[in-house]
Amino acid sequence: MKSNVGHCLAAAGIAGFIKIVLALRHRQLPPTVNFDRLNEHIALADTPFYVNDRLQAWEVADTDRRRAAISAFGFSGTNAHVVVAEPLAREEVRKSAAPRTDGNGVVVPLSARMPEQLEQKARELLDFIRNAEDPIDLVDLAYTLQVGREAMEERLGFLVSSIAQLTEKLDAFLSGARESEGVHRGQMQDAKDSLSIFAQDADMRDAIVDRCIAQRQLGKLLSLWAKGLDLDWRKLYGEIKPKRIRLPLYPFAKQRYWIDSSSATQTATTSTALHPLLHTNTSDFTAQSYRSKFTGTETFLRDHRVKLGGRGVQKVLPGVAYLEMARAAIQHAAPAQAKSPVLEISEFVWLKPLVVTEPKEVSIALSRNDQDANINYEIFSEDAAGRSVHCQGFAAYKPLSATPRLDLDQLKGQMTRGAVDCDALYGMFDVMGLQYGSAHRGITSLHLGNHQLLAQLRLPECVLQGSAAFQLHPSLMDSALQACAGLIVDFAQPPGEPLVPFALASLQVFSACTEEMFAWLRYSSGSRPEDKVIRLDIDVCDRHGSVCVQMQGFSARVAESAASFDSAFYGRLLERIMTGEVSAMDAAELG
């Protein structure tokens, strides 16, 4: 073992055990690496022993089992020797004797610490079933989840009679249908009062559970479990239990905490910042506000450079970063929301670009409109020249009925006008004055259809660390907007000036972006390719088609330098938007 992983000291024994179990599982003998020649004092020529210096199949006679031994010699003089053998094949009589479904259905429980992990667990189970090479026994699957997994706070249960029915209900749940027959969703924290009588009277609890088991009232049992009552599922079975099978394990939140020394500025604020784009709370009795300080070393600035008139190429904060900044500020400032709310940001207008040539402070101010319950926000910076407003708009929380879902296979079939070479696309951006570094090159494929396109996005490797802190990750969202070029730019004659975001009628956030996404772009209702200002609708979904972000009425304009920015004109335009005189879509025409 030492040649494979090094000297493990006290962990040498368990490391050897893990190696043997893996060798038994794969039925292969792993090599001892870095072996050149045998010690001259060891004579193995006339023995059955040899040093295995290559990977080879672990062959045994049909009537035998694979076996291996571990020897661990401790510094204290304590020695241990363990023999490990592969398990005997299960006898078919045992399998046939195990209880099968009896017409009342089978209970399939799932649980997790957080709602996000519960949804991920359901998604991984669905993928496992769909990708299985051999048929899956429903009872074995259910039994494994019942007794082989810890029951956690967030709970989801299915009462089904077949693998096909389970697949259908998992798919419906992931598509946003949270309530349907045979599906039970609960949370232990919300169920304390309803189950308090069970906590006080254990005899009553056991009597009710035993009666439900005897009468095979599985739906009622599952409902109690979903509300937080822990059950001994083994009582559903006789002496011979179903077998446990290999299923996906717990989907831990993949948030890294390793310090990246190459990003000293970002990591210096990680421990204290509220969010990568929202560093400190500067609220007082007069206003709700937050402030951030950007140095230009951040990936969303370092790899996002725009040519601004006579000033040359500058580090410019991506337009999508303001959306995430507003979302994060509202989340921190708003009271606890009802379950599964949708944040809608509307009448969003990008004004003066934020150029970072030296450390720069940016603030966001929030206020509440008591008449329509909207949240007003304004993102601005201040310097010797005065106050510069970068964007402004409204936001509100809305109840979620069902998450929109796209049929990706159907959309892919509609993209009949060919694919765009991604390297050529980013080369065209360079010509336009949009210089995207590795952190902002998230388009992996782009396929054109009739007045629409479908772009596949992937979070670049260089920004995976810390990505869990974002819901609207700047790299992914900016890549979605980059795809607009497929509809509004003539690739044969690209414009000599960069296009930057200007107005957005509406944005709804259903869930956080994932590492792999698809963006479906098409013209907004009433907008045409020949219009002076083109407006687009954009849906950004995960690889299963569940929409995470929905944008309507997005438009772009030619970037202006700070010197040419008409602050008086845009100030008047902002006032007209905030008073409802014009909409963001009308403002795009005026701008």
Side-chain angles (χ1 to χ4, degrees), residues 13 139 144 204 212 232 336 338 358 387 515 524 539 544 546 550 559:
V139 176
T144 302
M204 178 185 292
C212 289
D232 183 1
E358 58 185 12
R387 177 187 174 106
E515 293 181 11
S524 300
D539 285 4
H544 300 281
S546 296
Q550 198 168 63

Side-chain angles (χ1 to χ4, degrees), residues 54 65 72 136 265-266 310 380 486 513 530 535 551 558 568 571:
R54 61 184 177 84
R65 286 192 290 162
I136 300 174
T265 303
Q266 293 183 63
F380 61 92
C513 291
E530 60 270 17
R535 294 187 291 269
M551 292 180 274
V558 175

Side-chain angles (χ1 to χ4, degrees), residues 191-409:
K192 287 184 177 179
D193 294 338
S194 60
L195 295 178
S196 59
I197 186 172
F198 288 134
Q200 299 171 9
D201 194 333
D203 292 338
M204 178 185 292
R205 176 195 62 203
D206 294 341
I208 292 177
V209 170
D210 291 344
R211 185 178 63 189
C212 289
I213 292 174
Q215 298 177 359
R216 306 301 290 177
Q217 295 176 332
L218 301 184
K220 188 172 183 179
L221 275 179
L222 186 54
S223 176
L224 291 172
W225 176 84
K227 292 177 180 178
L229 184 65
D230 288 331
L231 303 173
D232 183 1
W233 296 106
R234 293 177 179 84
K235 291 183 177 180
L236 290 174
Y237 309 95
E239 292 185 2
I240 301 178
K241 306 293 191 293
K243 70 175 183 178
R244 288 169 59 167
I245 61 176
R246 184 180 299 276
L247 293 175
L249 300 176
Y250 189 79
F252 290 98
K254 297 177 181 179
Q255 185 170 353
R256 296 183 57 176
Y257 296 92
W258 195 261
I259 297 175
D260 183 3
S261 59
S262 64
S263 305
T265 303
Q266 293 183 63
T267 55
T269 60
T270 298
S271 59
T272 57
L274 302 172
H275 182 278
L277 292 169
L278 203 72
H279 295 168
T280 57
N281 188 339
T282 55
S283 305
D284 54 28
F285 285 119
T286 62
Q288 187 79 34
S289 61
Y290 300 86
R291 183 176 298 152
S292 302
K293 185 174 183 179
F294 301 130
T295 66
T297 61
E298 298 85 359
T299 56
F300 46 79
L301 285 166
R302 185 190 66 215
D303 288 353
H304 188 270
R305 299 169 183 259
V306 181
K307 184 176 70 175
L308 296 176
R311 300 182 63 186
V313 177
Q314 303 288 329
K315 297 176 182 177
V316 176
L317 189 68
V320 291
Y322 298 110
L323 295 170
E324 173 67 359
M325 186 182 296
R327 183 209 64 77
I330 293 168
Q331 178 182 330
H332 280 280
Q337 300 297 316
K339 285 189 176 181
S340 302
V342 174
L343 177 64
E344 181 177 25
I345 295 175
S346 57
E347 305 298 338
F348 195 100
V349 178
W350 290 273
L351 295 169
K352 187 175 183 179
L354 176 66
V355 180
V356 180
T357 56
E358 58 185 12
K360 184 128 185 155
E361 288 189 342
V362 184
S363 298
I364 177 169
L366 306 176
S367 60
R368 189 67 179 265
N369 189 328
D370 294 331
Q371 294 181 352
D372 54 15
N374 275 338
I375 302 167
N376 304 333
Y377 58 86
E378 180 181 80
I379 299 177
F380 61 92
S381 61
E382 296 177 297
D383 53 26
R387 177 187 174 106
S388 298
V389 177
H390 302 288
C391 65
Q392 199 167 13
F394 306 102
Y397 279 106
K398 295 186 175 182
L400 172 63
S401 56
T403 302
R405 185 176 175 86
L406 301 180
D407 188 333
L408 289 174
D409 291 335

